[in-house]
Amino acid sequence: MKKNIGIWIDTKHAFVIRLSNNSHTFKTIESNIETRERIEGETKKYGRFGGQYLTYEKNRENKRIQMTNQFLKSLLKEIETCDSVVVFGPSKMKNIFEKEIRNNMQLTHKLAGVSSVNYLTENQIVAWVKDYFKSLD
């Protein structure tokens, strides 16, 4: 039987559901992406240096991008051994992850689809993945 994986992805975490031989495993991967971070010692939104103002937005954005890339790399490792994968979830993180899969030549043929799905319980996520791969067969 094929090894199929369904990934429900959000900014906070991802649920990886592995299907093989009529059984499934459920794994949670935390993203550790901080969307509202306070930097110690930061008092204002800007600093004054002569006639220039410096904002901390660029530093925050770079940290957030770095944390997102680490999260996506950990998910890419999960799908290396599967036959096909479906990515679904409520946020735009699924589209960012789809782009990462399509940029990886070894994994691009494994992508079965990307779908927008609202927040689901653990049992609903497993049922959704099973139904999705049954409809492909």
Side-chain angles (χ1 to χ4, degrees):
M1 183 176 178
K2 287 185 171 183
K3 296 177 189 174
N4 297 326
I5 292 181
I7 298 178
W8 185 94
I9 189 169
D10 193 7
T11 307
K12 295 179 184 177
H13 48 266
F15 300 125
V16 179
I17 299 92
R18 291 183 184 274
L19 300 178
S20 62
N21 299 331
N22 295 329
S23 66
H24 71 275
T25 59
F26 193 89
K27 181 178 180 182
T28 303
I29 298 175
E30 296 295 326
S31 70
N32 299 325
I33 298 173
E34 294 185 24
T35 54
R36 297 185 62 159
E37 180 183 9
R38 184 190 182 288
I39 298 172
E40 194 65 36
E42 183 178 276
T43 57
K44 299 179 183 177
K45 292 184 178 180
Y46 57 88
R48 181 160 170 96
F49 301 102
Q52 300 175 351
Y53 289 95
L54 175 69
T55 62
Y56 298 106
E57 291 176 21
K58 194 69 171 173
N59 293 341
R60 287 184 180 153
E61 183 68 19
N62 288 338
K63 282 185 178 181
R64 192 180 61 76
I65 289 171
Q66 186 178 14
M67 288 186 274
T68 302
N69 288 338
Q70 288 175 349
F71 176 53
L72 295 178
K73 283 180 184 177
S74 66
L75 288 175
L76 286 174
K77 288 179 184 175
E78 292 290 325
I79 64 173
E80 287 176 348
T81 60
C82 74
D83 293 324
S84 62
V85 63
V86 61
V87 180
F88 59 105
S91 68
K92 60 184 174 185
M93 185 63 76
K94 67 182 173 297
N95 298 327
I96 296 169
F97 186 52
E98 175 193 10
K99 192 174 182 181
E100 285 293 318
I101 293 173
R102 294 203 187 275
N103 288 337
N104 190 330
M105 295 300 287
Q106 294 148 347
L107 302 177
T108 188
H109 67 280
K110 295 181 180 186
L111 186 62
V114 178
S115 297
S116 292
V117 177
N118 247 350
Y119 291 96
L120 302 172
T121 64
E122 184 177 320
N123 291 334
Q124 289 173 329
I125 291 172
V126 172
W128 192 93
V129 173
K130 286 181 179 179
D131 289 342
Y132 183 86
F133 285 112
K134 278 184 185 176
S135 68
L136 291 181
D137 292 337

